[in-house]
Amino acid sequence: MEKELTPLDCLLPSGTLRICLIILNQPLDKDYLHILWRKALLRACADGAANHLYNITAGECGSFLPDYISGDFDSITAEVKAFYADKGCKLIETANQDLTDFTKCLAIMVEEIQNRKLQQGSHRLGVNTGLEGDWCSLIPVGGPCQTITTGLKWNLTAVSQGLTPEDKDNEVLQFGKLVSTSNTYEPVEPGHPKNPVTVITDQPLLWSMGIHKNGD
Amino acid sequence: MEKELTPLDCLLPSGTLRICLIILNQPLDKDYLHILWRKALLRACADGAANHLYNITAGECGSFLPDYISGDFDSITAEVKAFYADKGCKLIETANQDLTDFTKCLAIMVEEIQNRKLQVDAIVTLGGLAGRFDQIMASVETLHHALSMTQLPVLMIQGTSLAYLLRPQGSHRLGVNTGLEGDWCSLIPVGGPCQTITTGLKWNLTAVSQGLTPEDKESGEPETSCGWPGV
């Protein structure tokens, strides 16, 4: 079963992806925040992310209230915590030392919505929002991945891996052997949309892509 | 055989590590640059790193001449390239599409160290840990390739992070008393599972914490390399 996704659809005002939003403890991009916040069915902050949200929405903080703030609360300031508590935001303290604030926030998020676990299998990524930057990559963090792709400038194919149909067992993307970075999209005729990127993988494989910003 | 290293010794003015320096195409930390440059037996720039070097040494560029600049030269500006060429710096064009500028620069460095018969303890790289996510991952990939290119430790430093890929099959002893150590460190099994045992950490990996008994050592998993970051 093929999974379809246009990753950058979520940043298109006209995009149709239904999303939930988790904000982490990092400086926020204001444009991204506003677009994603508007679309999100649920919004959460991981600990100190609430500080960033509070600061970046100064003047209209009351219009940007997360559904919950979770974490061990060692980063959120007392002032920010009191503000959101006072406004009725759920504060969920998660004191587990072995898991990051992000992991715990995500666990709460998936409890709240239907859980769609990332599965091995084939993926189809739409890359025609106009927001795609000029690079993309496939990174086998965690272990070797047998991978076949289309739609990339440098695809991973059975031939490029020297595989015959009988050679299914050869591992391809692997740190120390081959990691696909600084890849890009398959060239197409001028005026034509890019082909979707399809990826078949037998292990979790990290897809990463550049985002084109106006003025770049 | 245990390998000993004090990673941050290279940033101590009084440190004794004998190093060679590779500069990557990232904004440079001026303090790090000066300390490392002074100590380095060899200094190289990977392509656009030369632009950063040129800018950050403005006014005294002639005192900071790399031994070579290598890469596919799609990042270095014509002006910078001409300046260093004019000063006698070697320009080595490396057009291989499958390897990054960093990997190629490292390969040349290893060769030069051998050719000149230099006594070196480590190769230090400035940059590679910030910017585009895929390029950071590419740096980690280069560290993996480095394991088969040289026996020397290859350290990467940028901002407040240091990364060092620990060679598998063996024990490592890391000195952490330079006074420059930050408050965090980590062990990251990039590339595959690692059987790991540690001491000296707040949260050590021990046979017990992994539920291992002495008989559990053999589980068919090949040992792979782990990254050790923290400045």
Side-chain angles (χ1 to χ4, degrees):
Chain A
M1 185 188 68
E2 195 173 69
K3 286 162 272 293
E4 277 215 42
L5 181 71
T6 299
L8 293 177
D9 175 289
C10 61
L11 292 180
L12 276 181
S14 58
T16 57
L17 221 59
R18 296 161 301 178
I19 63 162
C20 292
L21 177 63
I22 291 177
I23 304 172
L24 300 182
N25 190 7
Q26 279 287 312
L28 288 176
D29 184 300
K30 198 169 187 173
D31 296 325
Y32 292 168
L33 174 69
H34 282 274
I35 289 179
L36 295 169
W37 188 278
R38 213 170 21 232
K39 296 167 172 245
L41 302 166
L42 274 178
R43 303 130 174 160
C45 291
D47 204 345
N51 301 334
H52 291 284
L53 179 65
Y54 184 76
N55 292 330
I56 212 174
T57 56
E60 42 176 3
C61 297
S63 304
F64 289 88
L65 301 175
D67 294 278
Y68 66 92
I69 303 169
S70 65
D72 41 30
F73 294 142
D74 59 359
S75 302
I76 193 172
T77 67
E79 177 194 357
V80 167
K81 190 174 172 192
F83 173 82
Y84 287 116
D86 192 61
K87 295 283 185 183
C89 303
K90 227 191 297 184
L91 297 180
I92 306 175
E93 189 162 354
T94 54
N96 186 331
Q97 284 284 31
D98 288 337
L99 301 174
T100 62
D101 287 339
F102 180 20
T103 303
K104 291 177 280 187
C105 190
L106 184 61
I108 295 166
M109 180 69 78
V110 298
E111 245 187 278
E112 304 278 321
I113 59 176
Q114 190 167 16
N115 182 359
R116 300 190 61 100
K117 189 174 169 211
L118 179 68
Q119 287 169 20
Q120 299 154 21
S122 70
H123 299 264
R124 190 182 181 85
L125 303 169
V127 291
N128 278 306
T129 62
L131 297 172
E132 286 72 18
D134 60 7
W135 65 269
C136 59
S137 65
L138 287 165
I139 300 163
V141 182
C145 298
Q146 286 187 52
T147 312
I148 296 182
T149 69
T150 69
L152 298 173
K153 184 167 181 182
W154 294 281
N155 282 307
L156 292 139
T157 65
V159 169
S160 70
Q161 294 164 79
L163 293 176
T164 67
E166 291 72 42
D167 264 330
K168 290 269 169 68
D169 289 333
N170 286 333
E171 276 151 3
V172 185
L173 288 182
Q174 183 178 3
F175 272 93
K177 272 200 188 160
L178 177 66
V179 174
S180 181
T181 61
S182 290
N183 207 329
T184 188
Y185 307 104
E186 190 173 40
V188 291
E189 304 282 319
H192 283 233
K194 289 195 279 287
N195 295 321
V197 173
T198 69
V199 182
I200 298 174
T201 177
D202 69 335
Q203 294 295 327
L205 182 59
L206 188 61
W207 164 261
S208 177
M209 64 196 291
I211 303 174
H212 173 75
K213 281 206 159 195
N214 283 334
D216 271 358
Chain B
M1 186 188 71
E2 195 172 69
K3 290 164 269 293
E4 273 214 46
L5 182 71
T6 299
L8 291 174
D9 175 288
C10 61
L11 292 180
L12 273 183
S14 57
T16 56
L17 222 58
R18 297 161 303 184
I19 65 162
C20 292
L21 178 62
I22 290 176
I23 304 172
L24 299 183
N25 190 7
Q26 279 288 310
L28 287 175
D29 184 290
K30 198 166 187 176
D31 296 327
Y32 292 170
L33 174 70
H34 283 274
I35 290 178
L36 295 169
W37 187 278
R38 213 168 23 232
K39 294 167 175 247
L41 301 165
L42 276 178
R43 305 128 173 159
C45 290
D47 204 345
N51 302 332
H52 291 283
L53 179 66
Y54 184 77
N55 292 330
I56 212 173
T57 56
E60 42 176 3
C61 298
S63 304
F64 290 87
L65 301 175
D67 294 278
Y68 66 92
I69 303 170
S70 68
D72 42 26
F73 295 143
D74 60 359
S75 302
I76 192 172
T77 68
E79 176 192 357
V80 168
K81 191 175 171 190
F83 173 81
Y84 287 116
D86 192 61
K87 294 284 185 183
C89 302
K90 226 191 300 180
L91 298 180
I92 307 176
E93 191 161 351
T94 53
N96 187 332
Q97 284 284 30
D98 288 336
L99 301 173
T100 62
D101 287 340
F102 179 20
T103 304
K104 291 177 283 190
C105 191
L106 183 61
I108 295 167
M109 179 68 76
V110 169
E111 220 187 304
E112 283 297 304
I113 290 171
Q114 278 165 359
N115 290 345
R116 302 188 193 199
K117 297 191 174 25
L118 295 176
Q119 298 297 310
V120 177
D121 299 309
I123 297 173
V124 178
T125 307
L126 262 189
L129 299 179
R132 259 170 57 174
F133 180 71
D134 67 328
Q135 288 176 343
I136 298 171
M137 291 291 105
S139 299
V140 176
E141 171 67 350
T142 298
L143 293 183
H144 278 76
H145 284 294
L147 295 178
S148 53
M149 290 161 69
T150 176
Q151 288 296 311
L152 293 174
V154 179
L155 308 178
M156 300 193 62
I157 295 175
Q158 184 168 5
T160 56
S161 297
L162 176 149
Y164 169 37
L165 188 63
L166 300 174
R167 195 172 290 274
Q169 273 109 38
S171 66
H172 300 265
R173 192 180 180 82
L174 302 167
V176 291
N177 277 308
T178 62
L180 297 173
E181 287 72 20
D183 60 7
W184 64 269
C185 59
S186 65
L187 288 163
I188 301 166
V190 182
C194 299
Q195 286 186 47
T196 312
I197 296 182
T198 69
T199 65
L201 298 175
K202 184 166 182 183
W203 294 281
N204 281 308
L205 292 141
T206 64
V208 171
S209 71
Q210 294 168 84
L212 293 175
T213 68
E215 291 70 44
D216 268 330
K217 288 259 173 77
E218 165 53 62
S219 63
E221 299 273 21
E223 279 179 2
T224 49
S225 313
C226 309
W228 162 265
V231 161

